[in-house]
Amino acid sequence: MTRILGIDPGLQRTGFGVIDIEGSTLRYVASGTISTLELARGNLPGRIKLIYEGVAEVKRRYQPQSASVEIVFVNVNPQSTLLLGQARGAALAALVSDDLPVAEYTALQMKKAVVGHGLASKGQIQEMVMRLLKLPGPPGKDAADALGLAITHAHAGRSFEALVGANTPRSHAQFKAGRTY
């Protein structure tokens, strides 16, 4: 059995999702969000700290063997992209602080893996995650994206592990289907 933690980074809400995979069977473990909304909008250092500590706590509590994080692309607003990148950096730092292997996937890759097409809506992702993990109801949007990233890694992870195994432990490799460190 392998436990995978998915992270959907966001400055206001960072989604997390934890699944177990045994053979081809996926099992839901936990999901939720790390919210920074109680802090002032201008308190960027406080928000980054909260994201780092929240992801570190989720990692400690659920003890995953690997993690997956969404790759951020430049949006229409460069300032928003920079802020999102800082939130993502805080989440990545918390994940790799104990050498947890981290894979990265784009939103398009996750949507294709979970729903079957890259233009899927948030509602479609929630519905498919609910079905794939046999949940009683749809998870929240951020948690659904995080669970989707974990599911994507569960399907693609075996291929990546074989490729990463050929590299030295700290080397970087870029693969067509995503990035793995």
Side-chain angles (χ1 to χ4, degrees):
M1 180 183 72
T2 301
R3 180 160 289 177
I4 303 170
L5 168 60
I7 297 290
D8 178 36
L11 193 55
Q12 294 182 357
R13 280 179 227 75
T14 292
F16 70 88
V18 183
I19 64 168
D20 286 340
I21 180 167
E22 189 166 359
S24 62
T25 304
L26 300 173
R27 188 175 65 79
Y28 173 84
V29 176
S31 64
T33 57
I34 300 160
S35 175
T36 65
L37 292 173
E38 69 274 7
L39 297 176
R41 287 185 74 95
N43 186 0
L44 181 61
R47 287 179 173 222
I48 296 299
K49 180 179 187 268
L50 198 57
I51 293 166
Y52 178 89
E53 290 174 346
V55 171
E57 173 59 30
V58 169
K59 185 178 79 168
R60 262 191 307 278
R61 181 176 296 167
Y62 296 106
Q63 300 292 308
Q65 280 84 36
S66 64
S68 57
V69 179
E70 186 174 316
I71 296 173
V72 177
F73 287 101
V74 177
N75 297 317
V76 176
N77 182 342
Q79 182 65 26
S80 295
T81 303
L82 288 170
L83 292 171
L84 180 56
Q86 292 180 62
R88 186 175 175 280
L92 280 169
L95 292 171
V96 302
S97 64
D98 297 320
D99 295 322
L100 181 67
V102 177
E104 299 175 279
Y105 302 94
T106 65
L108 178 72
Q109 290 167 327
M110 183 271 289
K111 290 175 182 182
K112 281 185 177 181
V114 174
V115 180
H117 62 89
L119 299 176
S121 69
K122 292 276 191 188
Q124 289 173 311
I125 295 166
Q126 289 174 286
E127 184 69 27
M128 281 305 293
V129 165
M130 180 182 77
R131 289 179 184 203
L132 290 169
L133 297 175
K134 299 175 181 71
L135 301 175
K141 292 176 183 177
D142 299 303
D145 283 354
L147 287 164
L149 287 160
I151 291 167
T152 300
H153 189 59
H155 294 309
R158 290 185 186 119
S159 301
F160 287 152
E161 286 170 8
L163 291 170
V164 171
N167 294 325
T168 58
R170 296 207 183 264
S171 67
H172 172 267
Q174 173 97 26
F175 305 114
K176 184 176 180 184
R179 292 189 290 210
T180 301
Y181 296 92

